[in-house]
Amino acid sequence: MRETPIPARKRVMKNRPLADSDKTPTIKEVAKRARTSIATVSYVLNNKDRYLRPELRERVLLAAEELGYVKNAMASSLKGQRRGILAVLVPQFGNNFFTRICVEVEAIAQRAGFVVTICNSDENPAQERSILDRLLAQRIDGCILSPALSRSETAILLERHQVPCIILERTLDAATPDFDFVGHDNFQSGYLATRKLIEAGHRRIAFIGWDSPIPNIHDRKNGYLAAMGDCGLTPSDGWLHLDELTVEGGRRAAERLPFSEITALVIAHHHEMAKGTLLTLQERGISWPRDLSLVLIGTPEWHDLLRPSLACIQRPEEEMGRAAATLLLKKLHDPRHREPRSILPVTFLEGGSIRSIS
Amino acid sequence: MRETPIPARKRVMKNRPLADSDKTPTIKEVAKRARTSIATVSYVLNNKDRYLRPELRERVLLAAEELGYVKNAMASSLKGQRRGILAVLVPQFGNNFFTRICVEVEAIAQRAGFVVTICNSDENPAQERSILDRLLAQRIDGCILSPALSRSETAILLERHQVPCIILERTLDAATPDFDFVGHDNFQSGYLATRKLIEAGHRRIAFIGWDSPIPNIHDRKNGYLAAMGDCGLTPSDGWLHLDELTVEGGRRAAERLPFSEITALVIAHHHEMAKGTLLTLQERGISWPRDLSLVLIGTPEWHDLLRPSLACIQRPEEEMGRAAATLLLKKLHDPRHREPRSILPVTFLEGGSIRSIS
DNA sequence: CTGAAAGCGCTAACAT
DNA sequence: ATGTTAGCGCTTTCAG
């Protein structure tokens, strides 16, 4: 921890201090103002089922109101209450796919009375680790983790510290004990994309994907290969390219495609990479679906704005977010709660980027 | 608070318990293992400049390491240490504009040793309020707030509870004391967009924008009007439409445009609304820049993927995020620190959507 | 040089 | 029906 130490907030006199005091009031001051004990205040504010004279209850509530009392969550959590914080740790904050998931998680967590800490490991295991230390220090109630690597120390540490944890989208390798998991069907997305092109009469289909360290990402490629195989097709050399998940990576992969041989292309990642590929196609004057039929895995904002629009494989981001959040909440109620790995299906979204050549 | 109470995490025996115990170890256990006092452990772990025998120091470090000790941030913060949590409260989590800002804030906060809680008020003041209560309960160290309404109770409460706070992008009304502020120049974005169209020879320029409750959003419209005025132009009735910030709103506004009269259009919001407008143009066979020249305020992912590409006003999201985060960190060090409102300039991004009719 | 102990604000068992 | 009090895990003053 080489960070600059930051002193605790100083208590400076302000124009409009809180109530009479200059600091945010504690249960003790509420008790004083209500002329009762702190225990009573605690009972009232937590709505415990201890019987109290309604009049007293009222007095406490009023005092709290007047002082602008806000319970100190860390003091309660020291006494074994929940912290009220859930964490989501994702590898690509800027990626729509994860953003959509986070939005849902946040919404559900909010309704359950939590705040959500969203952290970005930026595909960097070291950073993931250092974030984890902070999350553990915060004693978060639970975590949704989409790991940067398949051999994730992070997940193991969460388990070790008994923090309920859901693994999101990316699978850990076999050495890692099995965690609760919510993801989408990568294999099916590759399979379905390819299948739709085959159904439109294509035989010479290329594939551009991410050269990822995460094993189940490669299921998209496997889905592509399987769909080809099921129809007796074999990709030639140079039809399949894996590269970085960046605009540049998408460009490089596109540059390498043998356009004279192929009639169709599966673009397996919608983020920056797909953008690079499409820009390259545009710049080289290769238009879809005339020169090349396309299916994209993922639904970027622009999928239906491009002309012709893109045929896409839609992943259930919202549903994934809800599933992960709901499962996590269940585990908070009962840490032993387990559910089978939930691998959500994808759907095909029609678009104008497939030319039928049957 | 009608949320279901959730019990604190139960302590269940696990396959691989933490060290010898079944719970995450405390400073006390580290002290025991290092055969010293908790005070010494605290001094060592916080690297305070109390002199200790190197051997003792080593022993403590080793014990902590072996036990997998992680400091409990809430216990320390009870003793007046900083909390380690910053909050960002935005009104539209799904909007790229805010996402890009959040990414930067998160990155900077991370480097300073904080975790970031990102909350979405969804343009809903009541929700904003209930989130605020939770953030106050967490005793967050600081907050970056982009309020859902211009008369923001939220900001006032933060001030009242002496939480350092930066207002982001949206201005509060005059009744609210002046807060530290980071935003972009809405007026200039409207002005520049319009100006560029005028320079290309356009005179009959329409404007589509958001019918927002936030005052400074309307500066975009004012910029448009000023640019027109400066060139002796007056928008006719029906050239200016404000509507909801949704795909539907963008469609409705577009439907109302008098296409036979106008030659150019400023689309003042890049989010869903712009998408609605563009979809409507496409569906009605109005192509840019042939039938209509376009300038868009904002740079959605797709601005350079569309053909022709869109001319845009680029807002400095990354810079805004960095500015807000940096300013907030400064205020943590010195709560009295003030800086003049920082209103960052926008830039024009060339695109193929402007036809020169000079 | 190091340790004991007083609290930070809260909850809940244990008095009364 | 309500109040007293013992901690939760930590930091820091004060005493050895």
Side-chain angles (χ1 to χ4, degrees):
Chain A
M1 305 246 196
R2 64 275 164 262
E3 69 235 16
T4 339
I6 291 186
R9 223 180 319 130
K10 300 234 177 51
R11 303 220 149 115
V12 193
M13 254 309 186
K14 282 289 166 76
N15 334 345
R16 291 225 266 166
L18 249 183
D20 323 317
S21 148
D22 66 334
K23 51 193 284 291
T24 117
T26 72
I27 198 174
K28 205 186 261 173
E29 304 167 57
V30 177
K32 188 156 64 172
R33 183 171 248 266
R35 299 186 315 283
T36 179
S37 70
I38 59 166
T40 301
V41 174
S42 176
Y43 285 122
V44 170
L45 295 179
N46 293 322
N47 231 336
K48 288 282 153 114
D49 57 354
R50 160 190 278 222
Y51 185 81
L52 296 166
R53 283 190 350 267
E55 188 266 332
L56 215 204
R57 190 178 288 276
E58 270 322 304
R59 231 163 58 214
V60 169
L61 257 14
L62 184 67
E65 175 67 34
E66 287 172 341
L67 290 172
Y69 173 77
V70 181
K71 186 203 304 210
N72 184 329
M74 39 220 16
S76 342
S77 82
L78 257 194
K79 286 298 293 183
Q81 305 297 103
R82 72 166 206 211
R83 284 96 190 125
I85 305 181
L86 299 182
V88 182
L89 179 39
V90 292
Q92 303 170 28
F93 193 10
N95 185 338
N96 265 333
F97 173 73
F98 287 109
T99 312
R100 288 173 188 160
I101 291 174
C102 288
V103 169
E104 292 301 316
V105 171
E106 204 266 351
I108 291 190
Q110 220 172 87
R111 263 174 268 137
F114 289 88
V115 298
V116 179
T117 286
I118 298 176
C119 300
N120 182 12
S121 69
D122 217 8
E123 303 285 4
N124 177 345
Q127 193 169 324
E128 184 178 296
R129 180 54 214 273
S130 101
I131 293 169
L132 183 76
D133 283 335
R134 288 200 274 274
L135 294 177
L136 288 176
Q138 296 295 342
R139 302 292 193 267
I140 50 166
D141 294 292
C143 182
I144 295 176
L145 169 69
S146 195
L149 278 186
S150 62
R151 185 86 190 75
S152 173
E153 206 189 348
T154 313
I156 296 175
L157 277 169
L158 282 166
E159 168 93 338
R160 193 110 102 217
H161 285 268
Q162 308 180 33
V163 179
C165 169
I166 313 290
I167 303 294
L168 179 72
E169 177 59 16
R170 300 179 164 195
T171 54
L172 301 168
D173 63 17
T176 321
D178 64 313
F179 287 88
D180 285 275
F181 180 87
V182 172
H184 85 277
D185 194 334
N186 280 286
F187 182 89
Q188 197 206 355
S189 67
Y191 192 94
L192 190 56
T194 312
R195 192 66 197 223
K196 287 289 176 179
L197 288 167
I198 293 174
E199 282 168 11
H202 293 273
R203 296 289 170 267
R204 289 170 288 125
I205 305 171
F207 179 96
I208 284 183
W210 176 28
D211 190 12
S212 168
I214 306 292
N216 64 329
I217 297 290
H218 294 287
D219 287 348
R220 299 191 197 173
K221 182 185 65 192
N222 297 335
Y224 157 76
L225 293 173
M228 294 291 275
D230 284 359
C231 300
L233 304 172
T234 319
S236 298
D237 277 359
W239 290 12
L240 191 155
H241 293 286
L242 303 183
D243 208 308
E244 279 182 356
L245 201 63
T246 59
V247 171
E248 262 324 298
R251 282 182 181 281
R252 265 196 307 270
E255 300 289 359
R256 292 201 215 95
L257 291 174
F259 292 110
S260 51
E261 290 177 31
I262 60 175
T263 65
L265 171 64
V266 173
I267 305 178
H269 294 275
H270 84 197
H271 199 43
E272 302 281 287
M273 191 168 193
K275 216 177 139 177
T277 300
L278 293 178
L279 284 170
T280 298
L281 294 183
Q282 287 177 343
E283 285 158 18
R284 299 191 39 166
I286 294 161
S287 72
W288 64 83
R290 197 194 59 199
D291 308 319
L292 196 64
S293 290
L294 296 178
V295 178
L296 175 63
I297 298 181
T299 49
E301 279 182 11
W302 36 265
H303 76 94
D304 54 348
L305 263 181
L306 295 185
R307 286 295 171 265
S309 69
L310 293 181
C312 295
I313 302 297
Q314 179 161 41
R315 296 115 103 214
E317 290 106 340
E318 283 76 14
E319 207 184 328
M320 287 174 66
R322 283 195 296 267
T326 309
L327 180 50
L328 184 56
L329 289 177
K330 275 193 201 145
K331 286 188 69 108
L332 296 190
H333 281 286
D334 171 16
R336 256 156 307 206
H337 180 88
R338 292 301 305 254
E339 280 181 23
R341 297 168 71 75
S342 118
I343 310 227
L344 302 173
V346 300
T347 51
F348 179 72
L349 222 59
E350 300 284 346
S353 62
I354 302 182
R355 185 163 68 105
S356 188
I357 58 173
S358 55
Chain B
M1 305 248 195
R2 63 274 167 266
E3 69 239 13
T4 338
I6 291 185
R9 227 183 315 133
K10 299 231 179 53
R11 303 217 149 116
V12 194
M13 253 313 188
K14 283 288 164 76
N15 335 347
R16 291 226 266 167
L18 248 183
D20 324 315
S21 146
D22 67 333
K23 51 193 284 290
T24 118
T26 73
I27 197 174
K28 204 186 261 172
E29 303 167 58
V30 177
K32 188 156 65 173
R33 182 170 248 264
R35 298 186 316 282
T36 179
S37 70
I38 61 167
T40 300
V41 174
S42 176
Y43 283 121
V44 172
L45 295 179
N46 293 320
N47 230 335
K48 286 281 154 109
D49 57 354
R50 160 190 278 223
Y51 186 83
L52 295 166
R53 282 189 352 267
E55 188 266 329
L56 216 205
R57 190 178 289 276
E58 270 321 304
R59 229 163 61 214
V60 169
L61 257 14
L62 183 67
E65 175 67 33
E66 287 173 343
L67 291 172
Y69 173 76
V70 181
K71 188 207 296 214
N72 184 330
M74 20 218 23
S76 344
S77 80
L78 251 195
K79 285 298 291 182
Q81 305 299 103
R82 74 165 206 213
R83 183 70 182 79
I85 304 184
L86 299 182
V88 183
L89 180 38
V90 292
Q92 303 171 27
F93 193 10
N95 184 337
N96 264 333
F97 174 74
F98 288 109
T99 311
R100 287 172 189 160
I101 291 174
C102 289
V103 169
E104 292 300 317
V105 171
E106 204 266 351
I108 291 191
Q110 221 172 86
R111 263 175 268 136
F114 289 88
V115 298
V116 177
T117 286
I118 299 176
C119 300
N120 183 13
S121 69
D122 217 8
E123 302 286 2
N124 177 346
Q127 193 169 322
E128 183 178 296
R129 179 54 214 274
S130 101
I131 292 169
L132 182 78
D133 283 337
R134 287 200 275 273
L135 294 178
L136 289 176
Q138 294 294 342
R139 301 294 192 265
I140 51 165
D141 294 294
C143 182
I144 295 175
L145 169 68
S146 196
L149 279 186
S150 62
R151 184 87 190 75
S152 172
E153 208 189 348
T154 313
I156 296 175
L157 278 169
L158 283 165
E159 168 92 340
R160 192 110 102 218
H161 285 268
Q162 307 179 34
V163 179
C165 169
I166 313 291
I167 303 295
L168 178 73
E169 178 60 15
R170 299 179 164 195
T171 54
L172 301 167
D173 65 16
T176 321
D178 63 311
F179 287 88
D180 284 276
F181 180 85
V182 172
H184 84 277
D185 194 334
N186 281 285
F187 181 89
Q188 196 205 355
S189 67
Y191 192 92
L192 191 55
T194 313
R195 192 67 197 224
K196 287 289 178 180
L197 289 165
I198 294 173
E199 282 168 11
H202 294 274
R203 295 290 171 264
R204 291 170 286 126
I205 305 171
F207 179 97
I208 284 183
W210 176 30
D211 190 12
S212 166
I214 306 292
N216 64 330
I217 296 291
H218 294 286
D219 287 348
R220 299 190 196 174
K221 182 185 66 194
N222 298 334
Y224 158 76
L225 293 172
M228 295 291 273
D230 284 358
C231 300
L233 304 171
T234 320
S236 297
D237 277 0
W239 290 12
L240 192 154
H241 293 286
L242 303 182
D243 208 307
E244 279 182 354
L245 200 63
T246 59
V247 171
E248 262 323 299
R251 282 182 181 281
R252 265 195 307 270
E255 301 287 358
R256 294 201 213 96
L257 291 175
F259 291 109
S260 51
E261 288 177 33
I262 60 175
T263 66
L265 171 65
V266 173
I267 305 177
H269 294 275
H270 84 197
H271 198 44
E272 302 281 285
M273 191 169 194
K275 214 177 141 177
T277 300
L278 293 178
L279 284 169
T280 299
L281 294 183
Q282 287 177 343
E283 286 159 17
R284 299 190 38 166
I286 294 162
S287 72
W288 64 83
R290 199 193 59 199
D291 308 319
L292 196 65
S293 289
L294 295 178
V295 177
L296 175 62
I297 298 181
T299 48
E301 279 182 13
W302 34 267
H303 75 94
D304 55 347
L305 262 181
L306 295 185
R307 285 294 171 265
S309 69
L310 293 180
C312 296
I313 303 295
Q314 180 162 41
R315 297 117 102 213
E317 290 107 340
E318 282 76 13
E319 207 185 329
M320 289 174 64
R322 282 194 297 266
T326 309
L327 181 49
L328 185 55
L329 290 177
K330 276 191 200 147
K331 287 188 70 110
L332 295 191
H333 281 287
D334 171 15
R336 259 157 305 207
H337 181 87
R338 292 300 307 253
E339 280 181 24
R341 297 168 69 77
S342 116
I343 310 224
L344 302 173
V346 299
T347 51
F348 178 73
L349 222 59
E350 300 285 345
S353 62
I354 303 183
R355 186 163 67 107
S356 188
I357 59 172
S358 54

